[in-house]
Amino acid sequence: MPVRSLSILTGCALALSATAVLAQDFGTEEDQDYAAQLWQLMLDRDLAGDDAVQAFPYPGTDPHGMMLETFYTRATVDDHSGALVIKRNYGPQGVTVDQVIGDREQHLGAVTIMFRRGDGYAPETNDWFWAKYLPDGSLDEAPDGTPLAGRAKGCISCHSTADGGDLLFTTNADLN
Ligand code: HEC
């Protein structure tokens, strides 16, 4: 095949894949499956669910909860290991530390996580995979119904303003 028609074909393929990326860059089936694997491993390690390990909650603000717990660990998915940061978000407005400690289940609003997925997953945003779960492990959704899993734009646009260059607000530690 002449080189010129090859490059036309490649050009078409690129244009098609660019459209696909623009159409849905997070919340795809693959993102949802990946988020489900992460939730399962959090359950298996008691990082989520009824027997989840507890820390002392501290006051937070919007868009996360009014009381927060944050955990830093590592996890392995499909043979890749990376940093996993888990934030539990408690509410409602005005909730106290004692109320949260006394009844976590009643006050848990959401579990938001960042997992360093690696392998060139998202080079411009340090390879973080983002997800926001409801307390039962299902994915929360953006206002247009897109499941919040993957390279979630809303999460990234705010977290890009964190200092330290790694999209993390609570720490500038080197989490690989
Ligand atoms: C408007 C800004 C904003 C948006 C949008 C946002 N976050 Fe955050 N996020 C923060 C702030 C501020 C903190 C630090 C809170 C604290 O004091 O613990 C934080 C902390 C976190 C942490 C703990 C790691 C860290 O950065 O210190 C995780 C995990 C997290 N957010 C996940 C998410 C996910 C997932 C989404 C999207 C569904 C999201 N965030 C959307 C502002 C935001």
Side-chain angles (χ1 to χ4, degrees):
M1 189 186 292
V3 172
R4 201 159 55 109
S5 41
L6 239 187
S7 76
I8 289 169
L9 277 179
T10 322
C12 283
L14 280 178
L16 273 176
S17 63
T19 320
V21 167
L22 281 180
Q24 194 166 14
D25 44 14
F26 68 96
T28 62
E29 291 280 321
E30 199 271 339
D31 291 325
Q32 295 175 53
D33 289 349
Y34 201 84
Q37 285 194 63
L38 280 165
W39 183 260
Q40 187 57 50
L41 82 80
M42 290 195 281
L43 288 178
D44 293 346
R45 287 176 47 192
D46 285 339
L47 292 165
D50 293 343
D51 300 322
V53 65
Q54 303 179 355
F56 192 75
Y58 59 93
T61 51
D62 275 335
H64 291 291
M66 295 299 116
M67 282 287 158
L68 304 172
E69 280 176 296
T70 305
F71 300 88
Y72 308 84
T73 183
R74 292 183 68 75
T76 304
V77 177
D78 295 339
D79 295 331
H80 167 77
S81 357
L84 172 64
V85 188
I86 301 171
K87 176 175 293 301
R88 295 195 204 125
N89 307 262
Y90 298 95
Q93 183 116 30
V95 73
T96 64
V97 175
D98 291 339
Q99 288 167 336
V100 170
I101 294 177
D103 191 346
R104 281 181 154 73
E105 202 183 325
Q106 197 202 326
H107 295 102
L108 184 63
V111 178
T112 40
I113 61 113
M114 295 165 65
F115 175 60
R116 183 94 68 197
R117 184 163 169 172
D119 305 330
Y121 169 68
E124 284 170 18
T125 46
N126 299 13
D127 291 336
W128 289 115
F129 177 94
W130 308 77
K132 181 174 182 184
Y133 304 94
L134 298 173
D136 68 359
S138 61
L139 287 167
D140 197 6
E141 293 175 350
D144 68 359
T146 309
L148 289 169
R151 288 170 280 235
K153 275 194 217 124
C155 314
I156 292 170
S157 66
C158 184
H159 275 253
S160 307
T161 65
D163 295 342
D166 199 14
L167 294 96
L168 290 164
F169 281 103
T170 51
T171 178
N172 286 340
D174 185 8
L175 302 183
N176 283 310

